[in-house]
Amino acid sequence: MKRIKTIVSLLLTVLLLISIVGCSGKSDDAKKDSDDKKEDTKKEEVVEEKAEEKAEEKEEKEEEKAEEKAEEKEEKEEAEEDSSDFTKGADIVAPEGKVLRSLPVDQKAEEKIRIASICVQNNPWGAAVVVGQEFAKEVLADRNCVVDVIAVKSFDAMEWVSAIDNCTASGYDAICIFGVSDELNDSVNKAIEAGIEIYTFNGDLPDTERIAWYGMDDYAAGNVAGEAIVEALPDGGKYAIITGRFSVYGHEKRRTGCRDITDEVESLNLVGEYENDDDADTAYNLTTDLINANPDLSALYVTAGGPGGAAQAIIDAGKSGEITLICHDVLSAVADYIEDGTISVCIDQDPFNQGYQPVVDAYNSLVAGVVPQEMNAYDAVIANPDNVKSLFPELYE
């Protein structure tokens, strides 16, 4: 009996051990399963995170593309708007009787452009230049460009130096200037050193780094005047010259151009050369004095402003048809004198374009990098009583 109890006890112990081992195994399996589930969950979370990141990246790229397209569309619309809010060069209509030697590029300045154009205002020629300057101002106004037309009252070099220095201090992008004389060189060079583009017209400043020059070949025009005197006085005779100023580059070119022709003819007698500072009243007084001192005066060359005064003096002296008067610039102030023959030859130099073209070319250079040719010489137009109305009909309407 005792033995049976022992055996039963042993069996119970074995069963208990088996039960414990089984439970332990199940616990390990459960733990392993739990760990596996956690690992799977982590993997799923990582996959989801990567998927979310990819989705976000894709969304960001799509947003960037959308923004780029919107910007491109906006830029295109702005470009279209810019191209539609200014008059294209080909559509610009020149004033009656004028030809536009340059047209502005079909491009609007991104930042405001400032151009100064300086000319003397002491005679009708200067007024004709202003017409060109003002037209350039009008043409460029819708291209984000401001043009300031600046007047100098005389040919005094210090006035011109002051005007240039003021423009330099004001920070203009370009300055267009009547190249009066080399006394302006230092001021012009300072402006260039400050990054300002310089354009000259009428007189040139060749010893500076100016971009370009515009105007008539003054020396050649002086040759034309000299040849006209020689032709008018085949048997020789007395003649005189009235010039604006001996110090003005263009005036001197004309005077010496004339002299280089007439000095070769021994029968021609130069009775005097005088300055009138482009003033018509001074020209009148000088011409009157010349006629009084030389009743047999046969020809007179006025190189610059004020020829209307000389013409009136000839009329008042009763010398119309007896004195050959040669001058420059076919303007309203002399139109009638040319028509009636008091002025025999008038050499026009296109003052309108001298005011207009350098300003437009300066704009084109600053905005589009279109650099003009350095020397822009205008062919002289020779007007006389026979052709003046056909050449300049607008003056007789």
Side-chain angles (χ1 to χ4, degrees):
M1 188 68 180
K2 192 182 282 188
R3 189 173 179 182
I4 290 171
K5 287 181 180 180
T6 300
I7 292 170
V8 170
S9 178
L10 288 171
L11 287 172
L12 290 171
T13 300
V14 170
L15 290 172
L16 180 61
L17 289 172
I18 291 171
S19 175
I20 292 171
V21 171
C23 288
S24 177
K26 288 180 180 180
S27 177
D28 289 341
D29 290 342
K31 183 179 181 183
K32 185 178 180 182
D33 290 342
S34 176
D35 291 341
D36 289 343
K37 286 181 180 179
K38 287 181 180 179
E39 186 67 26
D40 291 341
T41 301
K42 286 182 180 179
K43 287 180 179 179
E44 289 174 0
E45 290 175 353
V46 170
V47 171
E48 288 177 1
E49 287 178 1
K50 288 183 178 180
E52 289 176 1
E53 288 176 0
K54 287 182 179 180
E56 288 176 0
E57 288 177 3
K58 184 178 180 181
E59 187 177 346
E60 288 176 0
K61 287 180 179 180
E62 288 176 352
E63 288 178 357
E64 289 176 0
K65 286 182 180 180
E67 288 176 2
E68 288 176 0
K69 286 182 179 179
E71 288 176 2
E72 288 175 1
K73 183 179 179 182
E74 185 177 350
E75 289 174 0
K76 185 177 180 180
E77 288 174 351
E78 288 178 356
E80 290 175 352
E81 183 180 347
D82 286 344
S83 65
S84 63
D85 67 358
F86 64 78
T87 304
K88 291 185 177 180
D91 296 330
I92 295 173
V93 179
E96 184 179 5
K98 309 301 180 186
V99 175
L100 303 181
R101 294 179 183 265
S102 290
L103 292 173
V105 294
D106 291 332
Q107 183 176 333
K108 192 172 184 178
E110 293 181 2
E111 296 181 1
K112 190 179 293 295
I113 296 293
R114 298 174 64 234
I115 300 173
S117 188
I118 311 173
C119 190
V120 67
Q121 287 304 315
N122 63 353
N123 61 63
W125 174 84
V129 172
V130 167
V131 174
Q133 292 172 318
E134 291 289 349
F135 190 72
K137 178 177 182 176
E138 177 186 334
V139 164
L140 298 176
D142 60 8
R143 285 169 164 78
N144 199 23
C145 178
V146 173
V147 178
D148 291 325
V149 178
I150 299 171
V152 177
K153 295 181 179 179
S154 76
F155 290 113
D156 181 80
M158 292 310 297
E159 288 190 41
W160 290 84
V161 167
S162 177
I164 297 168
D165 289 347
N166 287 339
C167 288
T168 301
S170 297
Y172 282 93
D173 298 292
I175 302 173
C176 305
I177 185 169
F178 179 170
V180 175
S181 72
D182 57 11
E183 292 178 273
L184 311 185
N185 286 359
D186 287 345
S187 288
V188 167
N189 286 330
K190 287 177 183 176
I192 294 170
E193 289 172 4
I196 300 172
E197 292 189 2
I198 300 293
Y199 297 78
T200 59
F201 59 88
N202 195 273
D204 194 14
L205 301 175
D207 294 329
T208 68
E209 293 299 319
R210 53 98 181 97
I211 301 294
W213 165 81
Y214 304 80
M216 178 180 65
D217 183 333
D218 286 308
Y219 181 80
N223 287 165
V224 171
E227 291 164 357
I229 291 173
V230 172
E231 182 179 347
L233 308 178
D235 298 325
K238 294 180 180 179
Y239 76 100
I241 297 175
I242 295 176
T243 193
R245 277 199 181 186
F246 295 118
S247 61
V248 175
Y249 180 90
H251 300 174
E252 271 300 275
K253 285 288 186 179
R254 296 175 198 169
R255 186 185 71 83
T256 56
C258 176
R259 288 288 304 274
D260 284 350
I261 298 297
T262 56
D263 286 355
E264 295 297 315
V265 181
E266 292 183 2
S267 61
L268 291 176
N269 179 20
L270 177 65
V271 297
E273 297 177 294
Y274 308 93
E275 291 180 319
N276 75 323
D277 205 26
D278 278 19
D279 180 64
D281 290 338
T282 303
Y284 179 94
N285 294 331
L286 287 171
T287 303
T288 300
D289 292 344
L290 278 164
I291 292 173
N292 290 336
N294 304 276
D296 55 348
L297 184 72
S298 298
L300 176 63
Y301 175 35
V302 180
T303 74
Q312 191 58 50
I314 289 172
I315 291 173
D316 291 349
K319 293 287 186 176
S320 294
E322 296 179 30
I323 298 175
T324 297
L325 176 57
I326 301 153
C327 66
H328 292 269
D329 304 318
V330 183
L331 303 169
S332 58
V334 297
D336 290 341
Y337 294 123
I338 302 172
E339 183 187 12
D340 68 18
T342 304
I343 294 175
S344 302
V345 176
C346 189
I347 307 165
D348 193 73
Q349 57 179 318
D350 197 353
F352 172 85
N353 269 295
Q354 289 188 38
Y356 166 83
Q357 189 180 16
V359 175
V360 171
D361 280 0
Y363 175 83
N364 291 347
S365 173
L366 291 165
V367 173
V370 180
V371 181
Q373 63 184 34
E374 181 181 1
M375 304 300 290
N376 298 272
Y378 302 164
D379 292 333
V381 177
I382 313 300
N384 57 49
D386 295 329
N387 66 12
V388 66
K389 279 191 171 182
S390 61
L391 289 175
F392 299 90
E394 69 276 8
L395 295 177
Y396 298 94
E397 294 178 350

